[in-house]
Amino acid sequence: MSITPWWRSAVVYEAYIRSFADGNGDGLGDIPGLRSRLPYLADVGVDAIWITPWYPSPMADAGYDVADYRSIDPRFGTLAEARALLTDAHDLGIRVLLDIVPNHTSDQHPWFVAAVRAGRGSPERARYLFREGRGRGGSRPPNNWVSVFGGSAWTRVRERDGKPGEWYLHLFAPEQPDLDWSQPDVRTDFETTLRFWFDLGLDGFRIDVAHSLIKAGGLPDIPADMQDGVSGRPAGHPHWDRDEVHDLYRRWRSIGNSYDEPRIFVAEAWVDEPERLARYVRRDELHTAFNFEFLQTAWLAPPLRNTIERTLTEHARVGAPPTWVLSNHDVVRSVSRYAREQTGDRMIFLENLLGKPADATLGLRRARAAALLMLALPGGAYIYQGEELGLQEVEDLPTEALTDPTWERSGRTRRGRDGCRVPLPWDGDRPPYGFGAGPGHPWLPQPDTWAEHTVAAQRDQPDSTLSLYREALRIRHLHPALGDGSLRWLPAPDGALAFAREPRFRCYVNVSAAPLALPVKSTVLLASGPLDAARMLPPDTAVWVDQAA
Ligand code: NOJ
């Protein structure tokens, strides 16, 4: 009998370390805080956690600017504490993934410091993408690429003679210079980093912007029809989703496979076409890749079904399980997205939502239904911390509290992602809600209205969102139909989705239809909201039932 590898069905919890739990009371989440809350995660029932970057960093982009890949920022803890965390998590049956950030380093990384100092044409500069500028005196950037956070993707350095010199590429903030992955020592050094953490007991990595490492030779201008910021549409973009990136991941897979218990990877690759995404999870490449199409799909039955079908088809073609995700630390929380009218417009950033009327109760109903839909689909799923508490985006953070580089780089027009990163509420009725024991204020202010959302307030409430997630994960572990596998669509009225997974499992989602009668001979396992006395499924509600074929 073959045993299905754990990662094909895993529910992974994203622990955004800065905001999860603060062990030393300085206002910033850390490893001791995370460690102390592992029993909570075991109780929720997750299979694994993904920890966002804990490396030494000047924090220009909340830790995604890494100054040393084989060490830990003292604000987050020590290597000994990381080891203890791995041991404790494993003892609780929880696997641990960590972020790796290979597209760029921090500008404080010794390689970049040396590159600036060493000057034009040096081997130190060859690890990054330094180029001469265009125009008179090289005063214009080498090409038209733009930073994801706003503005040009190029910054000019001063050479040792004090004069303006070469420009370097940064697809994100200027403090995040892009590496040149055609350099052998860049490749070798990252392989050493992978092994360093794997040897320590880490179970896998989430690869940051996995689709951006390789740039087109000659760094050509981006054609006008491809200027869309983050994604790789259409194929052939000079820096997103280049075909050559796949060789790299074949190599990484072989490193993961060299361990007795193979180590795994999940790709963060924002590509628009399910077919392009599936290329990252071909049999000899990465294990899984986030399906961002799903979190960008409006709460409307036809596009939801279309996204699910296309994802299933393309993943089946390469033999990989899909990875469903409703939120993460880069996008507006699902409750707040679903609180808006669902028009099909892109709604993942705050600027897409502000000014649109919100109905928070409706948003929560939909988010709960979406959770049951996601957790019933074939494959694995990621839960972003606070999703299990039904937290909303904090849309009105005072501007002086904003830390996301997007805010300044967009000329203060885009508030950025801080609103989904506000520290978690654990207990109590006022900030810091048990986030940290000490006098330090949480690094982002928490709303006064979160008392009813704390873990303590929800833990023993059978109808709380926390109870819904816990019960869903409990059923998911026990039910032989759930996790890896396939589904069969069932007839459903317009505005609803229905599918079967064998043996005996049915999921009905009323997205926007009239109340839906459940089959007579079925037993409700779990519902995202109350059914009425006649067992009718109201709109914005999902249900799992047991039903003979
Ligand atoms: C994706 C990460 O999730 C995001 O937070 C970060 O800003 C960028 N990559 C750049 O590293």
Side-chain angles (χ1 to χ4, degrees), residues 81 87 119 362 413:
E81 285 165 340
T87 305
L362 180 63
T413 57

Side-chain angles (χ1 to χ4, degrees), residues 360-436:
T361 309
L362 180 63
L364 183 59
R365 274 173 71 86
R366 289 175 171 166
R368 290 168 57 107
L372 287 201
L373 166 62
M374 170 174 86
L375 294 169
L377 291 172
Y382 276 66
I383 297 171
Y384 174 48
Q385 67 181 42
E387 192 179 311
E388 82 283 16
L389 303 177
L391 292 189
Q392 293 175 43
E393 183 83 2
V394 182
E395 298 182 19
D396 57 354
L397 283 171
T399 53
E400 56 285 4
L402 298 178
T403 68
D404 185 342
T406 306
W407 173 240
E408 291 298 339
R409 293 211 32 106
S410 67
R412 304 195 166 190
T413 57
R414 291 159 54 202
R415 293 173 66 93
R417 303 158 294 174
D418 289 306
C420 65
R421 300 174 173 181
V422 173
L424 282 194
W426 291 93
D427 51 47
D429 56 9
R430 66 180 71 103
Y433 301 108
F435 169 68

